[in-house]
Structure formats: structure tokens, C-alpha cells
Amino acid sequence: SEIKSSYGTIKYFTQKILNWTYQNPHKYPWRSTRIKFYALIAEILLQRTKAEQVIPIYKKFIKVYPSPDKLSASPLLRIKTIIAPLGLRWRARKIKELACVLMNRYNGKIPLHLNELMSLPGVGQYAASAYISLHHNKRALLIDSNIVRLYGRFFGFKSHAETRRKKALMNLIDLITPQYNCRQFNYAVLDLGRNICRSKPLCPICPVYIKCY
């Protein structure tokens, strides 16, 4: 079924969370890097993993593997050892395959088209959208469990594991996501969903609490 929301409500939500994120910036090391390979690796490591857990692994990883060619030549066991504390050991093989594809097909560069990105090993819909919007400031629709929970609470619909696959939710996110300043908006919904609108929400300090369902 359709998720309804007025232009005024969407505008209120967007402005409030953008103001909030400007006043409460979250400084993770991958957010300031200019090296796009580091950024893509970070988005893969961040999948289904808390950002605070990723920080030390990310720092070690990019020190050992500063480029796709170094990573593509690495023994798989060494990659597994470095990222083992994050769990999801399948990521090690996918990350190595990613480096090999980048070297063999793209001369070490990272493609910018969403479909091309999604075809890369280890890079699904979320990582591709996050890479494009957060590291290139190009418009892409971002969706993860925290964001679904945030939207569900604010716009008044029940969210569960299958919600993110529903067309009605994607239509809503398409409506909400601004044409410009996409990077800052997506950082805002990520940070708000992760730090404020948690499973046990911190409603009194939420910037959109007054109009939340």
C-alpha cells in the first residue's frame, strides 16, 4: 500500500535533519578521505557492521592495502585475518575479487554508474548507492534497517525485514531525497537512525520528535 506524506511534512523533515547534522557532525575517517578506493572499501566493511567497530579495521586495512593492485596481489588468508574481527568472513574473498576486477577491467579505477558498481564483487545496492551519494555527492537512494526504522516511525508505517523491498517505501525515499546536497542528507538519515532513532529511541533529543508518529 502507498505511504502517504505531504510536501510540508517532507520539507519539515528534510530541513530539521539537515540542520541537526550540521550541528552534530560525525567524524569517521572514511568520510574525509579523498581516495575513492578507501571510500568503497569502507562502505563494504560497514555493511551489517557498527561504524565504531569498523574504524580500527579500516585504518589497518588501508595501511596494508593502499591501492587495488596491492590488494589484488595479497594472499586471501591475510585479508581474512585483518577483517576477521568484523565477522562476515565472506567479505575477504569478495574484497580480493573486487580488487582483481578493478585492476583487470577498470585499470584500477572505480566506475561511477550505479549498475556497474552493483556488478562488482561485494558491492550490492546499498554499498553502491552509499559510495555514489556519500563520496561523490551524486543523488542516490539510501536504505538500510536503521533508515527504514526512522522513516517508519516518523511517517507512520510499520517496518519489518521485508519493508525495504517494498515499492511504496522506495517511492517515499525518492520523494524525500533532495536533488542537491544528497551527501549531507544521506549522512543525516544514517546518523539519526543509528544514534538517535535506535531500537530504544532517544526521543527527547530527536530533531523531528515533535511531528513524529
Side-chain angles (χ1 to χ4, degrees), residues 183-202:
R183 172 191 287 141
Q184 208 62 40
F185 175 82
N186 278 338
Y187 275 145
V189 290
L190 278 172
D191 292 341
L192 193 63
R194 179 173 54 240
N195 298 306
I196 306 296
C197 195
R198 307 186 300 205
S199 297
K200 293 182 178 179
L202 305 176

Side-chain angles (χ1 to χ4, degrees), residues 32-161:
S32 57
T33 184
R34 294 187 177 186
I35 301 173
K36 301 307 181 190
F37 173 65
Y38 295 176
L40 184 59
I41 290 296
E43 295 306 335
I44 294 171
L45 295 179
L46 284 163
Q47 292 179 83
R48 293 163 61 188
T49 312
K50 291 181 179 179
E52 286 70 22
Q53 292 176 287
V54 172
I55 293 171
I57 308 302
Y58 167 81
K59 287 180 176 178
K60 183 175 182 180
F61 193 97
I62 63 174
K63 190 174 181 179
V64 176
Y65 304 118
S67 61
D69 61 321
K70 288 275 198 303
L71 180 57
S72 64
S74 172
L76 181 59
L77 183 59
R78 192 178 187 200
I79 303 171
K80 283 183 177 179
T81 302
I82 291 173
I83 70 170
L86 299 179
L88 300 175
R89 291 174 65 85
W90 59 265
R91 279 187 284 203
R93 186 178 297 279
K94 291 291 184 183
I95 287 171
K96 181 176 169 66
E97 289 174 4
L98 167 66
C100 292
V101 170
L102 291 178
M103 291 308 299
N104 295 335
R105 198 181 300 169
Y106 297 101
N107 198 28
K109 305 292 183 187
I110 300 170
L112 248 183
H113 193 278
L114 188 66
N115 289 336
E116 265 191 297
L117 274 167
M118 287 174 61
S119 74
L120 297 174
V123 183
Q125 172 89 46
Y126 174 81
S129 297
Y131 175 77
I132 285 175
S133 70
L134 303 178
H135 304 285
H136 287 275
N137 203 21
K138 293 182 180 293
R139 189 175 186 271
L141 309 184
L142 209 57
I143 181 167
D144 73 357
S145 56
N146 292 332
I147 292 173
V148 172
R149 184 174 61 241
L150 168 64
Y151 287 151
R153 285 173 175 167
F154 183 81
F155 292 102
F157 62 87
K158 290 183 179 179
S159 61
H160 48 79

